[in-house]
Amino acid sequence: MSEANAAAGSTPEGYPGVGRVLVVIPTYNEADNVCRITARLRGAVPAVDILIADDNSPDGTGELADRLAATDGHIHVLHRPGKQGLGAAYVAGFGWARERGYDAVVEMDADGSHAPEELPRLLDAARNADVVVGSRYVPGGKVVNWPAHRLLLSRGGNLYTRIALGMPVSDATGGYRVYRMPVLEKIDYASVSSQGYSFQVELSWRAHREGFRITEVPITFAEREHGASKMSSSIVREALWRVTVWGARTRRDAVLRMLGGRTEAQAARWP
């Protein structure tokens, strides 16, 4: 379905207790997965709408998405000019949802690592929360088909994030989430420039600093079966560097506030 016809096919009443929900699925070279993930999602939660945000995939993902949208009024496609990163795709998707009056936005990977069948539990939790994080690292959560070194890196990075930022979220880098629209508006999502892991951390931290209710729901995270992973060492390095800088600034600001060197408003500015 084209952007011009995006309102057609939406479910006005949306998901009970949450409202109109848009699931944003960024894609780049996901031709092997886009049909599978949308079919599973439509079967698991028929009341939600789907936005496939494609970064001009050379493997034809965008064309496949257009064909899906042409036959299903709940599926929409946002064609972007080129590969600009996961964070930029989500920011564009958030803006698309805001312009069309959605009440909540879901982040979901295209590769099947986030099971659509678990989305109802996240949405149920959103009835009493502002942000819901699908967590691998709370009781009941787990990771399957990951090598030990990657699991150790992920768990270690999340522990470091909790300590550095003082944020009580066990899986701050997790990418399966529900945001109510007022949260995204308040935290100024459009100004977030981080990518990869650090994009998820920054959104979590902004929501935490604003006092929003963040709930973690256990999920099973499964490594992709089709296509190539977009994860790289540069994404991990960016996340660690940004968390370190944000943590240092937070502690510096706290000291300066105590010394009267800065106003509360200055100290509270975004990273």
Side-chain angles (χ1 to χ4, degrees):
M1 175 173 288
S2 69
E3 292 180 57
N5 297 322
S10 297
T11 305
E13 63 275 13
Y15 193 87
V18 181
R20 295 182 64 226
V21 177
L22 181 71
V23 180
V24 179
I25 303 178
T27 57
Y28 184 77
N29 285 350
E30 294 289 356
D32 291 334
N33 295 306
V34 67
C35 295
R36 293 185 180 91
I37 195 66
T38 52
R40 288 174 62 188
L41 185 53
R42 292 291 292 120
V45 198
V48 305
D49 289 342
I50 303 168
L51 176 67
I52 300 167
D54 185 67
D55 278 8
N56 196 25
S57 300
D59 72 343
T61 301
E63 290 79 2
L64 279 174
D66 283 336
R67 290 202 288 271
L68 292 170
T71 60
D72 188 334
H74 286 269
I75 300 175
H76 316 293
V77 185
L78 176 62
H79 292 283
R80 289 158 43 77
K83 189 176 182 182
Q84 300 173 20
L86 181 72
Y90 275 130
V91 167
F94 296 161
W96 196 97
R98 181 184 183 186
E99 291 170 0
R100 289 158 179 81
Y102 284 90
D103 300 295
V105 182
V106 176
E107 296 181 355
M108 179 183 289
D109 286 352
D111 60 15
S113 56
H114 299 147
E117 295 76 16
E118 295 186 312
L119 181 57
R121 291 193 294 111
L122 273 68
L123 291 174
D124 289 345
R127 293 169 180 162
N128 298 302
D130 302 306
V131 180
V132 179
V133 177
S135 178
R136 300 161 288 184
Y137 305 132
V138 295
K142 62 181 179 179
V143 176
V144 296
N145 297 330
W146 258 15
H149 73 275
R150 187 170 178 184
L151 181 59
L152 181 63
L153 179 63
S154 176
R155 297 203 70 142
N158 274 287
L159 177 60
Y160 177 72
T161 296
R162 291 187 68 181
I163 294 172
L165 300 182
M167 180 173 61
V169 177
S170 298
D171 196 356
T173 62
Y176 197 6
R177 303 179 172 210
V178 182
Y179 287 98
R180 285 189 172 274
M181 188 55 68
V183 176
L184 295 174
E185 293 173 347
K186 180 67 174 179
I187 66 176
D188 189 18
Y189 68 87
S191 69
V192 178
S193 60
S194 306
Q195 294 296 325
Y197 283 154
S198 55
F199 175 80
Q200 306 297 359
V201 173
E202 186 170 351
L203 288 184
S204 302
W205 191 38
R206 291 189 180 201
H208 170 66
R209 291 178 71 184
E210 288 290 348
F212 287 111
R213 295 165 297 173
I214 303 176
T215 296
E216 293 188 86
V217 173
I219 63 166
T220 296
F221 179 94
E223 176 67 333
R224 67 162 61 230
E225 295 182 357
H226 305 279
S229 173
K230 311 302 189 298
M231 187 52 56
S232 67
S233 59
S234 63
I235 291 176
V236 176
R237 287 195 301 270
E238 180 200 12
L240 292 175
W241 175 78
R242 286 184 180 270
V243 167
T244 300
V245 170
W246 296 336
R249 286 178 179 172
T250 298
R251 285 159 176 76
R252 181 199 63 188
D253 291 344
V255 171
L256 290 176
R257 283 200 301 272
M258 286 190 297
L259 297 176
R262 300 174 73 196
T263 67
E264 288 289 333
Q266 289 173 319
R269 73 167 185 251
W270 296 124

